[in-house]
Amino acid sequence: MWDRIQRRHSVIALALPGVITYDLAIAGEVFGHPDLRLAYDFAVCTPEPGRVRANVGFDIHVDNGLQALETADTVVVPGYLPLSDPPPEVLSALRDAHDRGARIVALCTGAFAVGAAGLVDGRRVTTHWLELDRLAKRFPAATVDRHVLYIEDRGVSTCAGVGAGLDLCIHLVCLDVDAETATRIGERMVVGPHRAGDQAPMLERSRVRSGLTGLSHTLDWSVSQLSEKLTIGQMAEHSGWAPSTFARRFVAEVGMTPLRWLTIQRIGEAKRLLETTDFTMELIAHLCGFGTSSTLRHHFSREMGLSPAAYRKRAREPRQDLDLQSEERLVTRYAGAA
């Protein structure tokens, strides 16, 4: 895909008429920010260069036409409204980019343009929760996942609404550059450093925790028992359901398995303790239910992209701009790119 050592990665955002400005700004702030000038080249294109009407009632000016997609390593398709199919030349350009190996990234309702190009058929995809039914109806050959923040399936990435687009873009930086750089972007943009793609969207998680489902009491109880060796059987017993019924309802309502949910809660508690206490790693591992510091390190590093010790250091040091923190490292990684 991308030889990140030899050259910068070209990211082109496709601004369709009615482009959702928030989505377009996310792509620019992540891939076009001066902090990552050694890693990415970023530009915006549109079907007809010039004034492009945005979804919120003002115009933006775009100089580049669709030919910019011919050399893109990643094509970002921000959401747009209304959700009519783009012109044939746009769909052809998207297919050509995908066929030559470019990564296709649809933010929010950008999935509809990617779908119209035939690039969601046979893939798992998602979009803004208000448009999930429409996406499934319009593209029946796709598998629409309603319980994730973002998905990558064979070179095509899609995500849920607005905030999930930022999660996806930061995730891509983690893959392209490294976890430390991705974390710094999250800090600069004042968001959490990482949300895994298989988390349920926030609205769905809030609905579970607000008592609108039969699981809410068990979730609250489970959080209070994190230091214990909590089993799925114990959670099922607390809920009053048989284990098989509990597991099925949990996935349907929370959007992930009970074990996955427990791991996320434990990591969240570990983050809090790392940020606010001087407890040893062994004690934190015990209090969070991981048992040993090695188990804590394994799960924490896999989820967060850095070790618990590195996270503690990061959380307690003064915040600085990413370019001051990582320029020397990026110069080394992208030697000869500038």
Side-chain angles (χ1 to χ4, degrees), residues 43 83 122 187 203 207 231:
L83 297 176
E187 292 175 348
L203 178 70
R207 185 164 61 241
T231 67

Side-chain angles (χ1 to χ4, degrees), residues 19-27 55 162-163 166:
V19 62
I20 295 175
T21 52
Y22 186 90
D23 292 347
L24 181 60
I26 284 172
N55 70 308
V162 288
L166 180 55

